[in-house]
């Protein structure tokens, strides 16, 4: 039998032990909350202050343009014509969707993460209107850019995102050399919500489309502003390995044939290294490779 005194001693030990453990827990909890709150306050303060402090990567607008000479390499900037409302984007991502939607919704994930990176000089421009291009051309020339390479979306006879290009073609006062990069990959939801597996428009590179594709390019090649090398319009193909080598070679041969019949000395065809392209270019009939982001694309040959 446990006496009353022993029970009392056990109860006292239990109570004091519980108080000690509770105190330690509260101290740990207070330190944890205090540390967490400090981080939250630090993060909140940084969010509020970053609107007034320029990033280390910020390049202020220069008052002096770069002076170019013949010895300097000619720099051509890729031009993505997606910053305007299109029917297919309205259907798949909601009415009014443009690339600006994804740009503006980005938020910093940690202190020091510079997001969103919002446009400063030209602002949230709408490429459905060619007046935007005047300022883009002015800025490009000021910093030594000597041409635009428009992404050209041609899917088995159907063109997409071509309004900015057509605006440019119809406005001869937009004085800027240009060329095309055929974005010959399937169009997925990648640029809308990151779902690369859902294809919105298939890209079928079939023989029956070769002549149609080549003839569509000729109208642009004939523009005086189109970039040419030795009377050969420059055309970049995004993925020269999207189909078998013989299939791509026959397409390129058709483009060369149509161009020569239209008064050119051929077409200066280039590929990119997108999709970890390796190997030579002779079997494809192209002049060389343009370095692109070396990321593996998640679609395969049809």
């Amino acid at each position: 039998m446990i006496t009353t005194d022993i029970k009392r001693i056990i109860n006292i030990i239990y109570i004091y032990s519980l108080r000690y453990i509770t105190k330690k827990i509260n101290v740990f909890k207070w330190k944890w909350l205090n540390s967490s709150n400090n981080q939250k306050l630090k993060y909140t303060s940084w969010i509020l202050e970053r609107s007034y402090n320029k990033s280390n990567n910020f390049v202020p607008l220069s008052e002096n343009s770069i002076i170019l000479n013949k010895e300097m390499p000619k720099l051509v900037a890729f031009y993505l014509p997606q910053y305007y409302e299109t029917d297919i984007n309205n259907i798949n991502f909601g009415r009014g969707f443009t690339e600006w939607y994804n740009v503006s919704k980005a938020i910093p994930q940690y202190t020091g993460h510079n997001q969103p990176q919002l446009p400063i000089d030209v602002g949230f421009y709408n490429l459905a209107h060619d007046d935007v291009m005047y300022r883009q051309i002015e800025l490009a020339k000021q910093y030594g850019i000597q041409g635009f390479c428009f992404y050209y979306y041609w899917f088995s006879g159907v063109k997409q995102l071509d309004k900015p290009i057509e605006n440019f073609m119809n406005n001869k006062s937009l004085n800027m050399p240009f060329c095309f990069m055929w974005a010959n990959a399937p169009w997925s939801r990648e640029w809308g919500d990151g779902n690369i597996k859902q294809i919105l428009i298939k890209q079928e590179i079939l023989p029956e489309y070769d002549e149609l594709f080549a003839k569509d390019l000729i109208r642009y090649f004939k523009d005086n502003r189109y970039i040419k090398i030795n009377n050969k319009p420059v055309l970049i193909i995004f993925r020269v390995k999207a189909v078998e080598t013989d299939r791509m070679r026959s397409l390129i041969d058709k483009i060369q044939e149509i161009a020569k019949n239209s008064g050119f000395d051929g077409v200066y065809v280039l590929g990119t290294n997108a999709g970890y392209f390796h190997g030579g270019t002779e079997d494809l009939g192209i002049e060389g490779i343009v370095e692109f982001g070396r990321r593996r694309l998640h679609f395969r040959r049809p």
Side-chain angles (χ1 to χ4, degrees):
M1 296 291 293
I2 300 177
T3 64
T4 304
D5 291 338
I6 293 176
K7 287 182 177 180
R8 187 180 295 113
I9 292 171
I10 292 174
N11 286 335
I12 291 172
I13 293 172
Y14 173 76
I15 291 171
Y16 275 94
S17 297
L18 187 61
R19 286 180 179 178
Y20 177 80
I21 294 172
T22 303
K23 182 179 179 181
K24 288 296 183 181
I25 291 175
N26 287 334
V27 169
F28 175 79
K29 182 178 178 181
W30 180 85
K31 288 182 177 180
W32 181 80
L33 287 175
N34 188 55
S35 175
S36 177
N37 286 333
N38 282 338
Q39 291 298 321
K40 291 177 182 178
L41 289 172
K42 183 179 179 181
Y43 177 76
T44 303
S45 299
W46 178 78
I47 289 291
L48 296 174
E49 292 174 2
R50 68 180 297 274
S51 299
Y52 303 98
N53 300 325
K54 296 292 188 298
S55 165
N56 293 332
N57 298 323
F58 177 74
V59 178
L61 187 63
S62 174
E63 296 181 358
N64 301 314
S65 299
I66 293 177
I67 299 176
L68 302 173
N69 57 58
K70 293 182 179 179
E71 287 71 30
M72 296 178 67
K74 293 185 178 181
L75 302 179
V76 177
F78 286 116
Y79 193 112
L80 188 65
Q82 294 193 11
Y83 290 83
Y84 72 104
E85 183 179 349
T86 64
D87 292 338
I88 191 168
N89 281 341
N90 284 340
I91 294 171
N92 288 281
F93 305 115
R95 187 165 185 81
F97 176 88
T98 73
E99 294 284 349
W100 290 126
Y101 175 79
N102 286 339
V103 171
S104 60
K105 76 175 183 179
I107 60 174
Q109 301 299 308
Y110 51 84
T111 304
H113 188 203
N114 188 28
Q115 289 290 341
Q117 297 194 36
L118 302 179
I120 296 174
D121 187 75
V122 187
F124 290 90
Y125 53 79
N126 182 353
L127 285 183
H129 308 290
D130 59 1
D131 55 348
V132 172
M133 290 186 175
Y134 286 105
R135 183 57 175 156
Q136 290 177 328
I137 291 171
E138 181 182 22
L139 285 171
K141 288 183 175 181
Q142 184 177 6
Y143 287 93
I145 302 298
Q146 299 181 59
F148 289 151
C149 181
F150 291 106
Y151 279 57
Y152 182 62
Y153 293 90
W154 194 94
F155 300 91
S156 306
V158 178
K159 287 190 286 189
Q160 294 287 339
L161 299 169
D162 60 331
K163 188 172 182 60
I165 295 173
E166 293 305 318
N167 288 341
F168 184 87
M169 289 291 293
N170 295 328
N171 189 344
K172 302 302 181 183
S173 64
L174 293 170
N175 185 22
M176 188 65 161
F178 75 102
C179 63
F180 281 168
M181 181 175 77
W182 178 30
N184 65 320
W187 193 356
S188 71
R189 293 180 64 96
E190 179 182 9
W191 300 112
D193 56 17
N195 185 355
I196 196 171
K197 295 182 179 180
Q198 184 175 349
I199 303 300
L200 302 181
I201 304 179
K202 292 182 179 180
Q203 181 64 274
E204 297 179 302
I205 306 177
L206 302 175
E208 53 263 38
Y209 294 124
D210 289 2
E211 185 171 354
L212 183 64
F213 176 64
K215 288 184 176 180
D216 188 66
L217 289 170
I218 294 300
R219 179 171 70 93
Y220 304 101
F221 290 168
K222 289 182 177 180
D223 191 288
N224 292 332
R225 296 166 295 178
Y226 201 94
I227 298 172
K228 303 174 182 70
I229 298 176
N230 299 326
N231 197 33
K232 293 182 178 181
V234 175
L235 174 66
I236 303 174
I237 299 177
F238 180 54
R239 288 198 73 226
V240 288
K241 289 292 187 177
V243 294
E244 297 293 340
T245 299
D246 292 343
R247 172 80 280 274
M248 182 58 70
R249 180 60 188 258
S250 64
L251 167 60
I252 293 173
D253 287 346
K254 177 59 68 174
I255 295 173
Q256 298 285 7
E257 176 191 335
I258 299 294
K260 290 177 181 178
N261 292 338
S262 301
F264 299 103
D265 293 334
V267 179
Y268 200 91
V269 182
L270 298 167
T272 80
N273 61 352
Y276 294 104
F277 168 76
H278 296 288
T281 59
E282 296 82 4
D283 55 343
L284 287 164
I286 62 178
E287 302 287 345
I289 294 295
V290 176
E291 290 191 0
F292 206 79
R294 292 184 66 83
R295 61 190 182 92
R296 182 172 293 281
L297 302 179
H298 296 273
F299 51 82
R300 301 179 182 275
R301 291 173 180 167

